[in-house]
Amino acid sequence: MAAPASSSATNIMLAIYEKKTVAVDLYRPLRNYIVFNYSEREAQNLEDDLETLKEMRNNIERSSAADSLPARRDLLQNYFKALTAVESRFPISPDKDHVNSVTFTWHDAFKNKNKASQQNIHLEKAAILFNLGAVHSQIGLTFDRSTVEGRRQASHSFIAAAGAFAFLRDNAATKASIGSSTTVDVSVECAGMLERLMLAQAQECVFENTIAKGSTPGVCSKISRQVGLYYEEALAALNVAPLTQHFDKTWLSHVQLKAALFYAEACYRYSLELHEKEEIAEEIARIKSGIGALTDAKKSSPKGAAQQILDAINKLETNLNRNLERAMKENDRVYLMRVPQASSLQPLPAFAMVKPLNMNEVLDASKDKMFASLVPDSSAKALSRYTEMVDDIIRTQAEKLQQGSELARVSLKEMNLPDSILALEGHSVLPTALWEDVEAVQISGGPAGLEGELQQLRDLKRVNHELLVQTEELLQKEAVEDGQFRTQFGTRWTRPQSATLTKNLQDRLNRFAGNLKQAAESDVKIERSVRENMALMSILDRRPIESALPTLAKPIMSLDANEDAVVGTLKQSLRQLETLGAQRAGLEDMLKDMKRKDDILPKLMTSTGSYEDLFRKEIAKYNQICEEISQNLQAQEQLLIHIQGQNRQFAGTFNIEDYKAACEKCYKHIEAAVAKYREIKENINEGLKFYVTLQDAITSVKQQCSDFVMTRSIQCREMMEDVQRQMSGLSFQDGKNSGNNNNNNNNNNYNYPSAAPPQRPSSQPESAPRPPYYHHHQQQPPQAPPSVYAQAQHHPPPPQQQPPYGVPQQQPPPPYHGGSPYPPPQQQGGQQPPAGGYEYGQPAYPGWRGPYYNNAQQTQQQPGSFPRPPYTVSNPYPPNQSGYYKQ
């Protein structure tokens, strides 16, 4: 079946913009350094080099649009070589003995507002390498990729760009990132990401040429898969710090869609080869895998992708669906083969056709004669060459050691070692993240501590209920007494009725009662949730939590009873593997120590023979450690082979697969328990916040009611004394008119509310009727309708008057300044009750957004410690005595 033209033939590619810099003068500081450290004559001899360096820096500062891209590339390469010469001869730093007046400043290429300034040459070199890679990427886009030759040239430019970014990552990024002033674009992570991106685009050009040449589907699949791998590596770097928030979303969209596109392209090409081999079952699985990758990428990638990429994806998806339909029909009618799961398929083969260009030769400054007279040229060259030889040895051996350690780690993880051995010894371990979640739950009290928090909710609810009852009874008691006096004295009792004054307060109390009722319903839901899920959450109370994990035990029946021997052999091999790992760590330290102490400059300065002989002699001291590294890796390779065989025998003996399944089930149980515990804990916390806030609100209103009752009590006493004078016939004839005026004034004063229950006078005339108030302790007063306090804050009580009789009385406290007849709750941490001038129609739990309190509204919470102990209010009244709770 012929393969159609590549679905990615019209895809766009990315180029990198250059970094921007600010002007800097190198000529004067470097010349002064030469004059100061060498001579004026030496400075005059190097005048041409200084002018050349100055001119190159000025050209770098100009926009790249002023030059052709190849000319810009050559300028950057030559300037980097010049910087290499400057670095070895002119120490640029804040040190007073160095070139300390030069500061290089560069802006971030991807976030231009970010910039870095450093008084050293490392940032300058890193920025030049970055711009060199950027220019190579721009050159790659100038070629006509609709032709074979254009795609080949574009691929070479992207390979060169990858080489520049790789050179930046390996040689300059680390030094440029030291210090507080740096930018992300020249970091090791960013340089590595850009290298992968450029390699992906170079391999993509190769893939397009491969399609154009009519290569077999198998070859096209391998090349396409490698394109996808490069894009996947770039995407992985973009999704982690420090790059995760540094690039525009269009970058992520582009790279993510390209990765999915070329994975699906590889599946498509591979399925064509499978169809030719009549392997229909795997063909169907591969096609489905490709379609799934495209579908997921389109759903999850950010917006902003180029239309060309979306068109290529849609075209490829159409081809895959058409081939899938055909293959499924053939399988249903002819082959009748079972289609394997995508997870059971082997990874698609890949083949890399590109690699980063080696920039060492391109950027080699050893042949550059700039400033050669300042340092012995032969010694400098010899030292540089020897250093490169040593660095190459160190880098090669370090990579071998790292690969060996990684190989051992991955192999053991695949074999579930040493976790299986630890489980057999009763030391099972949880995954780190899950263990941390369980530890946090246990520190907070665990499921066993939820009952205590529920009791705290109940106590807070009871305290709020009792406060509400006490406050309501204050108003009811005052209203009953006012009604009794009004019945007794009739029209002479002229002050306003309680019911006309306390409506606002009564409305607040009604809202509080409604809030408490709604909160009680929420509490019931929480308690029910705790009861229903306690069996699920009880596993979190196991200490240590590892005791809840399944155990790996010896089989009940054994034919040869060799379990102990199997385990012992495997343990011994693991100990040997650990010893080899420790040896590698020691060898790596030895390599670094040898390099640090390896200084042959004095020998070079005094040597009269061949440098090659000296190099061979000095390099030979690294041969022994290189041989030890090789032996270590060979021994580990053989040991891993033995461990694999021993682990197979161990797994067969102890039924490891069932143990793994049991562990996974237990992990899911613990995860579900943690999630449910957190949900319930959050609900309880919201309840505690609600009750504390509501208690402050009720306390404030209770204080207002107490002040109101006290004021009414004062007025009641004064009015009763006046009425009694009138009924006893006591009058003063010489001051009748004046007395009448005073009575009128007193009647006017009675329009103000009063504040406390009336007090019995010390003595009364015999003819005065005895008010029933003095008998209310012996009989139950009738219930008065709920009263409202609406104007007490706007109409102050009348001034206190001296009783007309000379009978000593106990002076009541002044209104609004005396204490409440019921002690207010103790405030913790200086917490003040909320002011009484705003509404207290509180939702059930302030701020709650959970499943239980989803209708709540935010209320103001006063500062102070939390939660308040719910035992601060005295309770002279039994609960459920208010009119709100008798139903």
Side-chain angles (χ1 to χ4, degrees), residues 782-799:
Q783 291 288 340
S787 57
V788 176
Y789 172 50
Q791 298 148 354
Q793 295 181 356
H794 305 290
H795 299 285

Side-chain angles (χ1 to χ4, degrees), residues 229-275:
L229 290 176
Y230 283 141
Y231 276 119
E232 289 170 11
E233 292 171 358
L235 179 63
L238 285 170
N239 282 323
V240 297
L243 308 183
T244 178
Q245 299 296 332
H246 195 71
F247 285 83
D248 188 79
K249 290 184 178 179
T250 55
W251 276 74
L252 288 172
S253 178
H254 178 92
V255 176
Q256 184 175 356
L257 290 177
K258 279 293 189 83
L261 173 63
F262 283 95
Y263 171 77
E265 185 77 39
C267 291
Y268 173 68
R269 302 289 169 178
Y270 195 72
S271 69
L272 295 178
E273 186 179 58
L274 292 172
H275 190 79

